[in-house]
Amino acid sequence: MSDKDRLPVKMRPSFVDKPTSPSSSSSSSPPSYSIEKDSKRYFGSNGNGKDCSKRNGSSSSLRNFLHFTFVPICLLTLIPNLVVLIWYTVMECDGSFSVMLWHVSHLGPAGFIINLWSSVNIFSPLAASVIFVYSVWALVLMTFIPGPRTEGPVTPRGNVPVYKDNGLACYVITMAAFVVLTVALKLTGRTPTVIYDRFDEFIVTMTVVSYIFCLVLYVKGLYWPSTNDSGSSGNFVFDYFWGLELYPRIFGIDVKVFTNCRFGMTVWPLLVCVFMLKSYELHGEIVDSALVSTILQLVYITKFFYWEAGYMRTMDIKLDRAGYYICWGCLVYVPGMYTSVSMYLVTHPVHLGPMLSGLILAAGLVSCWLNYIADRQKQVVRRTDGNCEIWGRKPEVIRATYRLENGQAHQSLLLVSGFWGIARHFHYVPELLLAFLWTVPALFQNLLPFSYLIYLFCLLIHRTHRDDFECKNKYKEHWNEYVCRVPYKVIPYVF
């Protein structure tokens, strides 16, 4: 163990601290902050940069209660049912929402909820053991696999998070280990597809774990924050839902890197492979629809880990605090919802034929490439300070200055060339198209396989509003100039 590792968490060089004024120094407990200001990062604005939390220039206590207490309570209690509902519809309703709704009308809403939860095992020793072993495995790789140093964006309070860029290596090692484990289990007459057979146990067990984990994060953020980028609103419900810390670290482990990348984004491809294997076991052949969907998802996820350093500069990391909203989402919602089309295809095989399979696969690969190139354009421009070429020409940029909470001046480049000159979020188009292409092999018999696509569409549209609101507040007149030069959010002349 190095001297660095023996230091208390707050003393480890996990962050580069920029000079700050005395008033911005960290304290032993997180300072209070404006609940309205921070929550707008989630709820956003009305699309015109106006505060959604105010009406007629004054705060509404009822609106505040709805936004900061009632809505979080509803999300905390109701959304976990959605993931279980997806599993229930696939397993008990032949993958049909129509059949599921018939059950609701037949049993009544209360009776259906009771029947839904009586169909699952609340806790499973097998699920708990698998989750624990995998988590230890992921933490060991995250800690000991080497990788180059990379930095995230400077925080509002002047900190620069530092990461070890070993995501791709951890991902490749994990997928290779899964192949070895699968072969070993098959040789002994066992199979990892027991995860599919008892997937409800894994969903519910992980939900329970995530509630406890988020409570631990709340207590840690309240009394032992990792940096001064933390704060409590005084509203327990909202603090638990939204989180107290922007970059919490426990024994040097970055919590959001673990939940978002090493768990959510790594468990997703593992489950896709498990479901593909289950399809082969059931049907005795590799069904082309399942194969095309699996390949496209794995290519997208591999691209994600190749680009992981760029992900550390996205909204998930630089704006969203580590609370229930993001942690439960990555620990439970990603494994449960994002894999829904693969789970559906296990019992609903579709034979596409070589030509249609090839067309869908080719279109999906092109979409993934376009999504990557768009993200890369912005990275290259910022890394080279604009001294590069985009589409054969020197890029046009807006040098936007802004100030941190401590008054320090910083500059960022707003790219007006390439894909970023077409629309402010044009890269969402190939991402949505790719999700459609790995879903369409299920065809259109049922709506359930398109659940993730519908969710992704809503999420990305919501993010366009959040991003505009955040950037307008951050860059001010520079953002107004950018909007004038790039007036469309996603699709030119449409949106």
Side-chain angles (χ1 to χ4, degrees), residues 11 25 135 232 318 330 384:
M11 295 177 62
S25 60
S135 297
S232 172
K318 69 180 183 180
C330 293
T384 62

Side-chain angles (χ1 to χ4, degrees), residues 134 174-175 178 265-275 298:
Y134 171 76
T174 299
M175 298 305 292
F178 172 76
M265 289 300 296
T266 308
V267 169
W268 177 6
L270 290 171
L271 289 175
V272 166
C273 291
V274 167
F275 296 161
L298 292 181

Side-chain angles (χ1 to χ4, degrees), residues 246-308:
L246 188 60
Y247 291 105
R249 303 201 174 190
I250 300 176
F251 301 117
I253 300 295
D254 188 290
V255 170
K256 287 202 288 188
V257 173
F258 172 75
T259 57
N260 297 29
C261 304
R262 302 300 178 266
F263 198 96
M265 289 300 296
T266 308
V267 169
W268 177 6
L270 290 171
L271 289 175
V272 166
C273 291
V274 167
F275 296 161
M276 179 69 196
L277 180 60
K278 184 65 179 182
S279 173
Y280 176 78
E281 291 176 353
L282 283 178
H283 308 295
E285 62 175 344
I286 298 176
V287 182
D288 53 8
S289 56
L291 180 62
V292 169
S293 182
T294 298
I295 290 174
L296 290 180
Q297 290 180 73
L298 292 181
V299 168
Y300 173 78
I301 296 164
T302 303
K303 185 270 298 181
F304 169 86
F305 283 107
Y306 180 77
W307 172 78
E308 188 182 69

